[in-house]
Amino acid sequence: MGMTVIDTLDFPQWKFKLFFLTTLPEGESYDLVPGSKEAHDYMWSIEGTALELTYNYGTDTDANFKGYHVGNQEKDGFGHVAFNTDDVYAACEKLEQAGVSFKKKPDEGRMKGLAFAYDPDGYWVEIVKRSKPNVIPNYFNFSQTMLRIKDPKKSIPFYEALGMKLVRSKDYGDFSNYFMISANSADHGNGKDIITDENEKDDTVKKEFISTLFPPVLELTHNHGTESDEDFKHYNGNEDGRQGFGHIGFLVDDVYEACDGIREMGYGFKKEPDGGSMKGLAFALDPDGYAIEIIKRGGIEFGDQKVENAK
């Protein structure tokens, strides 16, 4: 999928290792050694977005390990990640030749021209066509993470408070999608001013804007009616027996100050900045109970086993 491992955090004392991947601009080389201090400095100052994969030691050799809960069952919150490409059909043919299997091929189902592949763990990976070819030179770019939400009137203000902008909303009758982005005034590499759902009324313009972005968006899916059901609650991916999706994260200059602001929204914390053995990072809870990691820009001393930055 064209991603690069830019860093790792290895914790043999706790028997797990984290891998951080991103889509680098086409032609950009990366010479740092993942797991080194230099790679840590790069990762925790990143302006883009990384996909974090957690490997628990031994799962690859344990015959009794039944895999992770990949989502998309009743009341599951996590849906999928996605990659954009110029030609979905050619991309899926390439993936199929590489041994990838599919939940949905481009010409299957009602919605033609998009696909859902399975990754090695069975997570859904959406393959989406860019609205304009040759805008982004990368064959694939990491383009979205999708979460289901109970009430957009709570979730959207929460993520706006974390610096995100709502760039598109779309009502499909029985559900709605909301697309949010963390970005400065210009899209990295494309030089486009960020539009918002409020100031741009033409949905075609908003859809085109998102599909030709280089950085990914957060897609929030609201199934209508859940907001009025007091007993409804999505599974967040961290419950016993349903573990798979973990969290999303935000870099901030001051974790303590950021958490003071988040605390006022009233949704609570899974871990306060000074809780547990790892000080200076936090896990807030969003309105649906998803874990939101709040981590210091520039990083902290994680207590991981580092490697030397030499190839």
Side-chain angles (χ1 to χ4, degrees), residues 40-41 43-45 251-252 280 295-302:
H40 288 4
D41 291 342
M43 168 63 206
W44 301 110
S45 300
L251 294 177
V252 299
I295 191 163
K296 179 178 171 58
R297 188 172 285 110
I300 62 174
E301 176 48 57
F302 294 98

Side-chain angles (χ1 to χ4, degrees), residues 65-86:
F65 180 68
K66 296 181 180 179
Y68 292 105
H69 186 77
V70 300
N72 295 303
Q73 295 182 18
E74 187 177 2
K75 292 187 178 180
D76 280 337
F78 174 69
H80 59 264
V81 296
F83 290 80
N84 287 358
T85 189
D86 283 354

Side-chain angles (χ1 to χ4, degrees), residues 96-300:
E96 191 168 16
Q97 290 173 353
V100 174
S101 58
F102 287 81
K103 168 69 177 179
K104 175 194 177 302
K105 292 185 178 180
D107 273 341
E108 294 176 343
R110 292 178 301 168
M111 198 169 292
K112 310 299 182 185
L114 67 80
F116 283 91
Y118 290 118
D119 88 342
D121 285 282
Y123 293 109
W124 294 14
V125 179
E126 187 177 16
I127 311 298
V128 184
K129 186 181 187 300
R130 300 180 185 124
S131 59
K132 289 185 178 180
N134 305 316
V135 173
I136 296 173
N138 298 64
Y139 194 86
F140 290 112
N141 65 291
F142 179 41
S143 60
Q144 67 177 238
T145 297
M146 189 276 264
L147 299 175
R148 297 176 181 89
I149 59 171
K150 178 176 179 176
D151 188 348
K153 291 182 180 179
K154 294 180 179 180
S155 295
I156 291 171
F158 177 88
Y159 287 103
E160 287 177 333
L162 294 181
M164 304 195 82
K165 296 179 184 295
L166 178 65
V167 294
R168 184 188 180 216
S169 63
K170 180 68 173 177
D171 186 334
Y172 291 94
D174 55 352
F175 73 96
S176 294
N177 286 337
Y178 300 87
F179 299 89
M180 307 191 74
I181 186 170
S182 287
N184 295 321
S185 60
D187 168 31
H188 310 295
N190 285 356
K192 298 187 301 185
D193 290 335
I194 297 297
I195 67 170
T196 67
D197 190 61
E198 182 178 3
N199 67 24
E200 176 57 65
K201 302 306 180 185
D202 188 337
D203 187 65
T204 301
V205 173
K206 291 183 283 191
K207 184 177 180 180
E208 179 181 304
F209 174 80
I210 291 171
S211 76
T212 55
L213 281 173
F214 187 71
V217 298
L218 177 64
E219 177 186 357
L220 303 177
T221 296
H222 169 230
N223 292 307
H224 299 171
T226 55
E227 73 282 4
S228 58
D229 183 348
E230 291 184 3
D231 297 326
F232 184 85
K233 182 176 177 61
H234 285 110
Y235 293 111
N236 61 38
N238 288 294
E239 296 90 353
D240 288 342
R242 305 184 76 91
Q243 293 172 325
F245 172 77
H247 60 268
I248 59 176
F250 290 82
L251 294 177
V252 299
D253 289 334
D254 188 319
V255 170
Y256 294 88
E257 181 180 337
C259 288
D260 286 343
I262 293 171
R263 194 174 293 107
E264 292 179 0
M265 290 189 277
Y267 299 111
F269 284 80
K270 183 176 181 179
K271 177 194 176 302
E272 292 274 1
D274 280 337
S277 59
M278 198 173 290
K279 311 299 182 185
L281 68 81
F283 282 92
L285 298 175
D286 88 339
D288 285 277
Y290 296 117
I292 312 298
E293 186 175 14
I294 308 298
I295 191 163
K296 179 178 171 58
R297 188 172 285 110
I300 62 174

